[in-house]
Amino acid sequence: MPLEWVDYRVAARLYFLGQVAYSCGDAIFLLRGGINAITRERSQLRVHSIIATHGIQHAPSKLRDDYVPPLSNRTLFQRDGHLCLYCGGHFSDRQLSRDHVRPISQGGRNEWTNVVTACVRCNNYKAGRTPEAASMELLAVPFTPTHAEYIYLMGRHVLADQMAFLRAHFPRTSPLLKRLLSRPRAA
């Protein structure tokens, strides 16, 4: 079960402490240490892109069906592919905003299933109205990502082997998985 992103320093510490149960994926770092006084060999550690650790301290809460990851604009914009879900335009983070489908002023909540990515123009036009009242149509239904999907959304530069590992943990009905599989692959 994917739990979180860690940098190579944390991964090296986990290797050193004997907390790594197994590793898979590509070796992405080769760390060189000192020279052994007896054998005259230099120590080295290969850090892989995916490591599994012993223990289950974080897993139980993240494996539950009712787990809801924290909501942030960064992960919301990633979930929606940096598209305005009203006009369909593709925008940078600075040109996007969080829109509450059912406005908070009308009892809407600040949760994954009630928020979508909207460009500033569309969000200002919609204002404190529902999409129906503003004669605007949503291009996709907002959804709560699973923990594995959230881990993907949190990553900045997901490597191919990491993506394959994460995708194996996405639900078959995942809108995010459908979008990722429909993308043309780079040669």
Side-chain angles (χ1 to χ4, degrees), residues 39-51:
T39 65
R40 295 284 185 219
E41 291 183 13
R42 185 176 202 162
S43 64
Q44 55 183 0
L45 173 66
R46 291 189 191 287
V47 178
H48 290 259
S49 60
I50 302 165
I51 59 173

Side-chain angles (χ1 to χ4, degrees), residues 20 31 40 65-66 77 80 84 90 93 101 110 115 143 156 158 167 170 172 186:
V20 175
L31 303 175
R40 295 284 185 219
D65 288 337
D66 62 346
F77 299 165
D80 294 344
C84 172
H90 190 266
D93 284 359
V101 178
N110 192 39
V115 294
F143 67 95
R156 296 183 191 271
V158 181
R167 272 201 326 235
F170 286 9
R172 290 185 192 137

Side-chain angles (χ1 to χ4, degrees), residues 123-137:
N123 202 353
N124 287 337
Y125 176 77
K126 181 179 167 281
R129 302 176 288 178
T130 63
E132 296 80 20
S135 298
M136 299 173 80
E137 188 175 329

Side-chain angles (χ1 to χ4, degrees), residues 3-180:
L3 292 180
E4 61 186 317
W5 295 106
V6 296
D7 70 9
Y8 76 94
R9 293 176 294 252
V10 173
R13 184 173 181 269
L14 291 168
Y15 277 104
F16 177 76
L17 294 173
Q19 292 294 310
V20 175
Y22 66 90
S23 58
C24 54
D26 298 328
I28 55 174
F29 286 101
L30 175 62
L31 303 175
R32 292 181 175 87
I35 297 174
N36 185 306
I38 297 170
T39 65
R40 295 284 185 219
E41 291 183 13
R42 185 176 202 162
S43 64
Q44 55 183 0
L45 173 66
R46 291 189 191 287
V47 178
H48 290 259
S49 60
I50 302 165
I51 59 173
T53 58
H54 297 288
I56 56 170
Q57 69 260 16
H58 300 293
S61 65
K62 294 176 181 177
L63 290 172
R64 292 191 341 236
D65 288 337
D66 62 346
Y67 170 76
V68 177
L71 175 62
S72 70
N73 282 352
R74 184 174 171 275
T75 52
L76 173 67
F77 299 165
Q78 283 284 97
R79 180 198 73 179
D80 294 344
H82 286 83
L83 294 175
C84 172
L85 291 190
Y86 293 108
C87 70
H90 190 266
F91 298 93
S92 70
D93 284 359
R94 286 184 293 167
Q95 299 166 309
L96 292 172
S97 62
R98 179 187 307 188
D99 177 62
H100 294 85
V101 178
R102 181 174 179 208
I104 291 178
S105 62
Q106 295 182 24
R109 299 181 61 162
N110 192 39
E111 56 191 24
W112 285 101
T113 55
N114 189 51
V115 294
V116 295
T117 300
C119 67
V120 174
R121 187 177 140 278
C122 286
N123 202 353
N124 287 337
Y125 176 77
K126 181 179 167 281
R129 302 176 288 178
T130 63
E132 296 80 20
S135 298
M136 299 173 80
E137 188 175 329
L138 269 174
L139 300 176
V141 177
F143 67 95
T144 303
T146 64
H147 182 67
E149 291 169 320
Y150 181 72
I151 293 294
Y152 164 73
L153 296 173
M154 289 295 297
R156 296 183 191 271
H157 303 288
V158 181
L159 301 173
D161 56 350
Q162 294 169 331
M163 189 65 232
F165 180 78
L166 288 171
R167 272 201 326 235
H169 291 85
F170 286 9
R172 290 185 192 137
T173 58
S174 168
L176 186 58
L177 180 60
K178 288 178 185 162
R179 185 175 81 224
L180 291 170

